[in-house]
Amino acid sequence: MAKLPLEGIRVIELTQIYAGPYATMNLADWGAEVIRVENITTMRPGTRGQYAVVPPDLAEQAKKENSMLLAFPNWDPGPRPWNRHAGFTSTGRNKKSVTIDLTKAEGHDLLGQLIKEADVFIENNVPQTMVKLDISYEWLKEIKPNIVMVRMPAYGLSGPYMNYRSLGLHVDGVTGLSEIKGHPDEPHSRRGDTVAPDAAAGMAAAFAILVALWHRNKSGDGQLIEMALAENYIPMLAEPLLEFEMTNRVPTTIGNLDKRRAPHGVYPCLGDDNWIVIAVSNNDEWIGLTKVMRKEQLQNDPRFVDSNARHANHAELDEIISDWSQQRDHRELLTIFQEHGVPGGPVLNELQLLEDPHLIERKYFETLDHQEMGPLMYHGPLWRMSKTPNALRTAPPLLGEHNEYVYKGLLGFDEEEYQRLAKEGHVGMDMLPTVP
Amino acid sequence: MLTQALADLRVLDLTHHISGPYGSKMLADYGANVLKVERPNGGDIGRNLGPFPDDIPHHEKSGLFLHLNTNKRGITLNLKTDIGKSILLKLVQTSDVLIENFKPSTLPSLGLSYDSLSQVNPEMILVSISNFGQTGPYRDYKASEAVLHGMGGNLRFLGAPDRAPTKYGTDLALRQAGIVSATATMVALFAKTVRGTGEHVDISIFETQAGSQDRRAPALMASQFVKTVFPRRTPGAIMATGIFPCKDGYINITAGGTRFELCLAMIGRIDLLEDSRFATPTARQDAANAAIFHDEYLLPWLMQRTMREVWSLAQEHHILSGPIFNAGDVMTDDHFGDRGMFVEVDHPVAGKVKMPGRPMIMSETPWALRRPAPTLGQHNHEVYVDELGFTSKELTELHNSGVV
């Protein structure tokens, strides 16, 4: 395969759960060498799973309750559950893993040696944690003056919320998305949440890193990028925020309705939890929909004669559509809708998505074999480039899989020193037995 | 002097609505010289979408448009005319990137396919954003934010299991694709540095959802693990985890599993760790026990406190949490305000508008507001006369013949 565009860029990551790992996944996909710094002495909940040792009765219960958070291949955590975690698996491809115990003084020094060999260092921890680990931009710069450092706390490196602990789903509330999402007749406790801020910040961090490297290539200078999850998300919510600013009205949720157009919604279909999204935006599409439903008489119904009327009478219209859609297969409707010029498509669950004919035709999913999970399908790089053929290269790394490569290959340790580091608790491929 | 990292880039921006403009905005906000090309009659559809000041529609006052198009210059050009096409090709000669989000069939039907553009400027990168990508059986299918979110993304997980799942409350799928397009542009620029030529970047919003805006990918892996799909989460089924009411609103708390002790410490009931209903991870996984904990211990404590009080106490105990703020809370919040999250943009027609500013802080090459969003055709004279060498008279003729 031809050289990938980011080959030669080395990224060291100290990232947790999703936002940070998603940023580096996008760099690794295009050729950057991404090395995860991990630790066999502590398990941060969420990144490689919740537990180093999954209590057997808990695993059993997860199977009974079909719980996604505790899903392992065949519901079996296996002896090393940290190598079989869905979240980690989804962002881990094309990366390497090294273990260093950063709580020890020597671990700090080892990280420093690694940073000397790096172009980019990225972390998404609460700022307090970085203080505790004594890792700062100033320190990095001493070791490697043109380093690009990315820090991704939830709320930034200053201000009253600086050390507040939040995941994407909490940021979703704090930035105002939760307020405008969900069925309007439900209390917030039943509207659910999203984790959209994580992938948004992850993708924006990948952008920022490349912008910083672009600058470094011209000027020779590195820099610090402060990517607060919440602050990257706020510009994405500009529309409701500006509605408040321009009208002094506080926007609330309108559920699956559109602000102006109708019908717009998520309608039930045949089977268990199958749905179709319909997003009609003009009269032609409306006429198309009446033809699909074989209810052409609705075209002359004064309640539905134009967009405003349909919007005003959407409750009645939604009921008519639901009565009809319940008898239909959601995936079959896609083609029929499109033949009639109606913007609509099925809500696909994960197994349906994996067998979607369009994605198969575009070879979107790629199979990688993993030592402890076997072959699995992974989504491909997020975009195609006509002259830069690309494919996934390696399965997600086992914990510490690249210790030899990093310690001996990159840092030049000999076997004796390597064994000593293993004894000291830096090098290993198993969580220490004391880790819960 | 202000240093912006992308000041050496010239971007020709044929995008409209949300996804493309958000991508080219990121490039422009970090320094790129972005020239937005709009159709002469009405321009970008975003101009017609609100919000508008006091709800009075005006094509120069759309909040959506004003935010999505900061730092861009704007011209009008009718690509359906031969002169329009030849002018576009002139602009292509001096551009590093052309970004567009038309239907995949549009540019080829105008005679402006990647092949013809690359003949004019082989070094130029063409970035295309479309619903389903430039190839494949769905290539020409119609879609929308909610359709793409439903097909590719996480829509099916949003909400309670006994109701229809719900879409995002604003166009997040389109904006995420915009961020992807900015990142992809940078990768293509690095590729060009290696290879010397440009190429065609194909971004499918469907695929950017599938891989994965809202943790769709973890669910894809988990479903393969156990060959089944997972239901939407029943609210309140997981102990100390979910959105709970408090005195003046709601707060989202994640304090289950290994974090449960933190929650007990917060409500001052560490003694409940001795209670067999709450003592082990397995007992805490039980929905009936969760309901008891919520009703008897957590909710009574929450209902005596405001969401800001709860949030602050929760953070003292290192509990992952966040209140449900509305748009007014966010726009007036001291943390975001003091950190400089919002900027005031002075627009020649709309006046002063406070809006979200930088998505991130770059220490050496900062975000900067160099100019407000362009009025329709604002830079026609500057571009056509000063840069492309038309005379003022020729520009008037172009205007009269509907090209500009």
Side-chain angles (χ1 to χ4, degrees):
Chain A
M1 202 160 65
K3 199 167 179 247
L4 287 170
L6 305 184
E7 247 171 75
I9 295 168
R10 183 174 291 137
V11 179
I12 308 298
E13 66 170 317
L14 192 63
T15 63
Q16 314 299 335
I17 310 191
Y18 203 74
Y22 193 66
T24 53
M25 178 196 83
N26 286 294
L27 302 175
D29 280 0
W30 293 96
E33 182 182 74
V34 174
I35 302 174
R36 290 189 57 77
V37 173
E38 309 194 80
N39 194 337
I40 57 170
T41 66
T42 51
M43 180 125 164
R44 303 284 295 274
T47 303
R48 276 185 179 266
Q50 309 299 319
Y51 304 90
V53 182
V54 182
D57 52 345
L58 190 62
E60 200 49 44
Q61 199 171 345
K63 180 180 178 179
K64 217 166 35 190
E65 291 175 359
N66 199 17
S67 159
M68 187 166 75
L69 273 181
L70 285 163
F72 297 97
N74 304 312
W75 293 109
D76 176 9
R80 298 180 194 86
W82 52 83
N83 290 333
R84 293 159 69 86
H85 178 248
F88 182 82
T89 300
S90 77
T91 56
R93 80 278 186 88
N94 295 334
K95 298 184 186 177
K96 297 185 165 82
S97 165
V98 64
T99 57
I100 305 177
D101 183 359
L102 292 178
T103 61
K104 294 197 179 86
E106 188 176 19
H108 191 259
D109 179 56
L110 290 168
L111 179 67
Q113 293 182 48
L114 194 50
I115 283 163
K116 205 172 287 176
E117 309 299 323
D119 301 285
V120 178
F121 178 85
I122 175 170
E123 61 90 13
N124 65 326
N125 301 275
V126 72
Q128 272 167 353
T129 301
M130 299 300 282
V131 172
K132 223 182 291 172
L133 294 175
D134 195 18
I135 298 172
S136 66
Y137 178 55
E138 286 65 36
W139 177 60
L140 262 62
K141 236 182 1 180
E142 269 172 40
I143 302 169
K144 176 88 184 198
N146 67 353
I147 194 87
V148 172
M149 184 190 199
V150 186
R151 303 194 57 180
M152 301 177 70
Y155 302 105
L157 298 174
S158 68
Y161 308 157
M162 173 170 90
N163 280 311
Y164 277 23
R165 286 161 164 77
S166 286
L167 304 174
L169 56 108
H170 309 106
V171 167
D172 196 64
V174 173
T175 52
L177 181 75
S178 299
E179 177 67 19
I180 55 166
K181 187 192 92 298
H183 295 293
D185 58 345
E186 298 268 29
H188 271 294
S189 42
R190 280 182 46 83
R191 287 191 203 163
D193 46 37
T194 87
V195 287
D198 288 324
M203 186 53 76
F207 167 75
I209 288 167
L210 295 171
V211 170
L213 290 172
W214 187 256
H215 176 68
R216 189 197 67 172
N217 290 351
K218 288 181 292 183
S219 68
D221 298 333
Q223 60 181 308
L224 171 65
I225 298 162
E226 186 180 337
M227 167 74 68
L229 246 64
E231 294 185 341
N232 176 65
Y233 207 50
I234 284 174
M236 298 178 80
L237 301 171
E239 197 176 345
L241 295 174
L242 280 162
E243 182 178 341
F244 171 77
E245 204 55 34
M246 292 181 147
T247 67
N248 218 17
R249 183 173 56 238
V250 175
T252 55
T253 182
I254 52 171
N256 284 326
L257 268 185
D258 182 82
K259 273 189 191 150
R260 309 165 192 88
R261 304 166 302 193
H264 191 286
V266 178
Y267 302 91
C269 290
L270 275 181
D272 180 27
D273 202 29
N274 287 327
W275 309 84
I276 184 110
V277 181
I278 299 174
V280 164
S281 66
N282 58 40
N283 278 339
D284 287 346
E285 293 168 3
W286 163 241
I287 288 167
L289 179 63
T290 61
K291 286 181 183 160
V292 174
M293 295 198 295
R294 303 232 165 97
K295 293 183 193 297
E296 286 90 341
Q297 72 278 9
L298 293 177
Q299 293 168 21
N300 305 318
D301 192 318
R303 292 174 300 171
F304 311 132
V305 70
D306 60 23
S307 217
N308 289 339
R310 290 193 292 274
H311 202 272
N313 298 304
H314 76 86
E316 291 157 74
L317 183 51
D318 287 343
E319 205 177 310
I320 294 170
I321 297 172
S322 294
D323 286 345
W324 164 82
S325 64
Q326 278 172 33
Q327 315 299 323
R328 305 300 301 259
D329 178 276
H330 66 312
R331 283 189 279 182
E332 278 173 24
L333 281 179
L334 174 63
T335 328
I336 304 169
F337 274 165
Q338 298 291 339
E339 281 166 4
H340 288 82
V342 179
V347 175
L348 295 176
N349 70 35
E350 287 63 36
L351 297 178
Q352 292 163 349
L353 191 70
L354 286 167
E355 58 185 38
D356 180 82
H358 180 79
L359 296 178
I360 289 171
E361 171 88 21
R362 278 172 62 88
K363 300 185 168 59
Y364 182 61
F365 293 108
E366 300 177 37
T367 302
L368 293 170
D369 201 5
H370 182 276
Q371 276 185 52
E372 298 194 8
M373 294 185 292
L376 288 166
M377 285 161 81
Y378 295 75
H379 71 80
L382 286 229
W383 62 86
R384 323 298 168 101
M385 294 169 57
S386 60
K387 293 180 191 160
T388 310
N390 195 0
L392 302 186
R393 304 183 301 285
T394 54
L398 307 174
L399 179 68
E401 183 178 341
H402 302 90
N403 280 337
E404 290 220 14
Y405 165 77
V406 171
Y407 283 107
K408 294 182 181 173
L410 283 184
L411 303 184
F413 287 87
D414 63 20
E415 178 63 23
E416 195 182 325
E417 289 165 313
Y418 186 72
Q419 290 307 330
R420 183 183 64 76
L421 291 173
K423 250 186 234 139
E424 308 267 332
H426 294 292
V427 171
M429 293 187 71
D430 287 298
M431 289 283 175
L432 295 185
T434 48
V435 179
Chain B
M1 206 193 99
L2 176 71
T3 305
Q4 285 200 286
L6 305 182
D8 55 339
L9 287 186
R10 290 177 66 92
V11 178
L12 194 50
D13 182 3
L14 300 189
T15 67
H16 63 284
H17 196 223
I18 293 171
S19 62
Y22 200 64
S24 57
K25 171 184 168 64
M26 290 188 72
L27 300 171
D29 285 358
Y30 286 92
N33 179 350
V34 175
L35 182 61
K36 184 178 177 77
V37 179
E38 298 182 76
R39 60 195 165 96
N41 291 326
D44 185 343
I45 182 157
R47 293 180 179 276
N48 305 330
L49 308 173
F52 298 103
D54 303 320
D55 292 320
I56 302 163
H58 185 295
H59 74 290
E60 295 297 354
K61 295 185 182 178
S62 156
L64 182 79
F65 183 88
L66 292 177
H67 177 255
L68 283 171
N69 295 286
T70 49
N71 289 324
K72 304 176 189 176
R73 296 190 300 160
I75 60 169
T76 54
L77 183 60
N78 186 346
L79 296 177
K80 290 180 179 155
T81 62
D82 288 340
I83 310 172
K85 274 174 233 175
S86 70
I87 293 174
L88 185 84
L89 292 178
K90 262 189 200 169
L91 291 167
V92 163
Q93 281 173 8
T94 55
S95 295
D96 300 295
V97 176
L98 190 157
I99 178 167
E100 60 97 9
N101 62 339
F102 294 120
K103 286 182 286 188
S105 59
T106 300
L107 280 185
S109 75
L110 294 170
L112 299 168
S113 66
Y114 175 70
D115 285 344
S116 21
L117 295 171
S118 68
Q119 275 167 20
V120 175
N121 182 354
E123 289 186 28
M124 192 189 72
I125 294 155
L126 173 62
V127 178
S128 293
I129 308 165
S130 59
N131 289 332
F132 295 99
Q134 303 292 313
T135 62
Y138 303 168
R139 188 188 85 138
D140 299 317
Y141 279 12
K142 288 181 152 188
S144 72
E145 158 78 25
V147 170
L148 295 162
H149 181 201
M151 289 180 72
N154 228 26
L155 186 143
R156 81 168 203 87
F157 278 118
L158 307 188
D162 54 346
R163 294 281 296 268
T166 50
K167 65 180 174 67
Y168 296 132
T170 187
D171 298 281
L172 289 182
L174 302 183
R175 285 171 192 266
Q176 179 79 4
I179 305 177
V180 173
S181 73
T183 312
T185 301
M186 294 310 301
V187 171
L189 285 164
F190 277 84
K192 184 185 125 179
T193 314
V194 176
R195 195 188 40 242
T197 58
E199 61 193 307
H200 191 182
V201 177
D202 173 10
I203 298 164
S204 149
I205 304 174
F206 180 36
E207 289 172 358
T208 64
Q209 284 296 296
S212 66
Q213 171 159 26
D214 199 350
R215 295 203 209 158
R216 172 70 136 175
L220 278 168
M221 305 319 294
S223 281
Q224 291 182 73
F225 286 171
V226 295
K227 297 169 186 64
T228 186
V229 294
F230 303 93
R232 281 184 290 294
R233 211 161 65 187
T234 304
I238 303 178
M239 201 172 288
T241 298
I243 300 172
F244 299 98
C246 53
K247 199 169 167 183
D248 63 343
Y250 288 85
I251 185 154
N252 198 343
I253 294 176
T254 303
T258 49
R259 303 182 176 104
F260 183 63
E261 278 187 53
L262 305 173
C263 182
L264 293 182
M266 175 177 76
I267 65 169
R269 291 303 304 265
I270 200 79
D271 60 298
L272 292 175
L273 216 46
E274 308 293 318
D275 189 319
S276 64
R277 296 171 300 179
F278 316 125
T280 65
T282 312
R284 288 173 215 149
Q285 187 82 8
D286 185 278
N289 289 344
I292 293 167
F293 176 73
H294 297 155
D295 292 345
E296 292 184 14
Y297 303 104
L298 184 60
L299 290 173
W301 186 88
L302 288 171
M303 293 310 287
Q304 290 167 20
R305 292 165 176 85
T306 66
M307 56 183 175
R308 281 190 183 270
E309 283 166 359
V310 175
W311 197 23
S312 164
L313 284 167
Q315 293 298 340
E316 278 175 32
H317 290 88
H318 292 183
I319 293 173
L320 296 161
S321 54
I324 309 295
F325 283 166
N326 67 35
D329 297 327
V330 176
M331 290 304 284
T332 57
D333 185 274
D334 286 343
H335 175 88
F336 297 124
D338 291 349
R339 278 176 52 80
M341 183 67 240
F342 302 102
V343 292
E344 193 174 72
V345 176
D346 197 358
H347 185 270
V349 181
K352 288 184 174 151
V353 182
K354 180 182 167 189
M355 62 174 71
R358 82 255 177 322
M360 79 284 277
I361 301 171
M362 298 187 71
S363 64
E364 303 302 313
T365 57
W367 189 97
L369 183 71
R370 306 188 307 277
R371 61 173 86 240
T375 58
L376 188 61
Q378 183 182 347
H379 301 94
N380 279 349
H381 194 274
E382 187 175 312
V383 171
Y384 289 116
V385 178
D386 300 349
E387 292 174 21
L388 292 178
F390 289 93
T391 63
S392 295
K393 190 165 159 251
E394 284 167 331
L395 178 57
T396 310
E397 281 162 16
L398 288 172
H399 189 268
N400 292 341
S401 58
V403 175
V404 166

